[in-house]
Amino acid sequence: MTRRLSLSVAIERWPIAGSFTISRGSKTEAMVVVAELGDGKARGRGECVPYARYGETVEGVAAAIEALRPRLEAGLDRSGLQAALPPGAARNALDCAFWDLEAKATGRSAAELAGLPPLKPLVTAYTISIGAPEEMARAAEREAQRPLLKVKLGRDGDPARIAAVRRAAPGATLIVDANEGWDERHLEANLAACAEAGVTLVEQPLPDGRDGALARIARPIAVCADESAHARDSLAALTGRYDAVNVKLDKAGGLTEALAMAAEAERLGLKLMVGCMVATSLSMAPAVLVAQRADVVDLDGPLLLARDRPEPLHYAGSRVDPPSPALWG
């Protein structure tokens, strides 16, 4: 029997503790879109973060979700959703709402529905925003007890920044995210500076579409695709240029595609990173499922907020526990 679903859509603003700064700019709040699906007995939620880098806006994403209301009311299911919307934030919110609804309706966890073993706690990276070297050093010193720090770079003077962070946090494992901020002229020098600082991975050093130089140099440390990696069909072209891929549900268009991307990345011999946007625990919860198989986990979004939603993920330092059914899944 066709299941006819009700839909609600909301735009929410969540203040960031201080500010969050990458090579493309700063923000002081996270704007998210939440989709909720109901079948008359149970309700499921999904949260997404529209990504301006890909031309998304909160209004546009909310409108794209709202436009599917007639088809949801007529019986559109999670399988049909994959063709109804392209990869991106709108499909992510609805896809995750479908998973949550099914979990609530059946009394089975989303992990069980996905065929996964029981979820385990994870160790997540914690992000250090880009700034002057002395500012970044102070931020790193405050978080030096964490086992894994993600350092935002992508501007002139990055060798001084990463050296300052390393001095401030000598015991932490460091990864770097340049957010497409480097160019070919400085690529090898910046990678060398990262290697000297003991960095283990660099995300997206060059702009998407202008990253061919990565195939022509000897990469001293692993390089991970982020903005160059979208859904499954983007992964094959990454081989030879990248060593790893960052799977984010907002890019992939939901948990369904993210699980498939993770499997395809492994098939291609790419290491797996699971990342996030700055958002609440509701965005992170589905990503915890994908992150069970990841080499690097970066799900610190709620730690960067001034407050989180009720029944949040439990963070103990850098350890994050699986979500409770009250939150999602």
Side-chain angles (χ1 to χ4, degrees):
M1 184 174 66
T2 299
R3 181 170 60 169
R4 301 177 185 278
L5 300 175
S6 63
L7 169 70
S8 64
V9 187
I11 295 172
E12 299 177 352
R13 297 172 180 265
W14 294 85
I16 292 173
S19 65
F20 179 75
T21 305
I22 66 173
S23 61
R24 285 190 288 268
S26 299
K27 60 181 181 179
T28 57
E29 65 178 5
M31 294 187 67
V32 306
V33 180
V34 177
E36 189 169 320
L37 296 173
D39 64 2
K41 297 180 180 178
R43 301 193 68 80
R45 300 182 298 168
E47 177 181 307
C48 70
V49 181
Y51 200 176
R53 167 65 178 78
Y54 299 125
E56 294 179 334
T57 65
V58 289
E59 295 81 10
V61 165
I65 296 171
E66 181 65 40
L68 280 188
R69 181 184 298 275
R71 295 182 63 181
L72 292 164
E73 291 174 348
L76 181 73
D77 61 10
R78 180 166 60 86
S79 176
L81 173 67
Q82 309 310 308
L85 284 175
R91 196 175 79 188
N92 178 31
L94 281 172
D95 184 77
C96 292
F98 268 114
W99 280 97
D100 190 32
L101 175 61
E102 188 172 355
K104 299 293 193 297
T106 61
R108 301 167 63 197
S109 70
E112 183 182 356
L113 294 170
L116 300 177
L119 301 181
K120 298 178 180 179
L122 302 165
V123 174
T124 179
Y126 183 86
T127 301
I128 304 297
S129 288
I130 193 170
E134 58 272 18
E135 294 171 340
M136 296 180 72
R138 286 194 293 270
E141 187 174 21
R142 289 193 295 271
E143 307 298 338
Q145 78 286 354
R146 295 183 182 273
L148 179 60
L149 296 179
K150 175 173 173 173
V151 183
K152 290 288 189 178
L153 298 180
R155 295 177 181 170
D156 290 343
D158 279 346
R161 291 185 178 91
I162 194 61
V165 169
R166 171 49 80 204
R167 288 192 296 270
T173 296
L174 300 183
I175 59 176
V176 157
D177 187 1
N179 284 113
E180 304 180 283
W182 295 350
D183 60 34
E184 287 190 39
R185 294 172 301 161
H186 306 111
L187 175 62
E188 291 185 90
N190 284 340
L191 287 175
C194 288
E196 184 176 352
V199 171
T200 60
L201 176 142
V202 173
E203 277 186 79
Q204 199 69 41
L206 299 177
D208 179 23
R210 301 203 300 274
D211 50 6
L214 292 170
R216 300 192 295 269
I217 66 169
R219 300 187 294 274
I221 52 180
V223 178
C224 179
D226 183 358
E227 285 86 352
S228 290
H230 305 277
R232 261 172 298 176
D233 59 6
S234 70
L235 297 186
L238 303 179
T239 58
R241 287 179 288 155
Y242 293 95
D243 308 289
V245 58
N246 188 349
V247 174
K248 292 178 178 175
L249 272 65
D250 279 312
K251 291 187 302 176
L255 176 60
T256 302
E257 180 66 15
L259 288 168
M261 280 186 73
E264 177 67 1
E266 291 172 349
R267 188 187 73 80
L268 292 169
L270 294 165
K271 291 185 177 181
L272 181 64
M273 177 178 184
V274 173
C276 68
M277 308 294 281
V278 182
T280 79
S281 285
L282 183 57
S283 274
M284 305 302 119
V288 169
L289 277 65
V290 191
Q292 297 291 307
R293 62 204 297 176
D295 300 283
V296 179
V297 177
D298 178 27
L299 297 179
D300 65 341
L303 297 178
L304 306 175
L305 297 177
R307 58 183 176 87
D308 200 355
R309 57 178 76 247
E311 306 293 343
L313 287 175
H314 177 253
Y315 288 87
S318 291
R319 192 190 81 170
V320 55
D321 291 333
S324 70
L327 173 65
W328 182 90

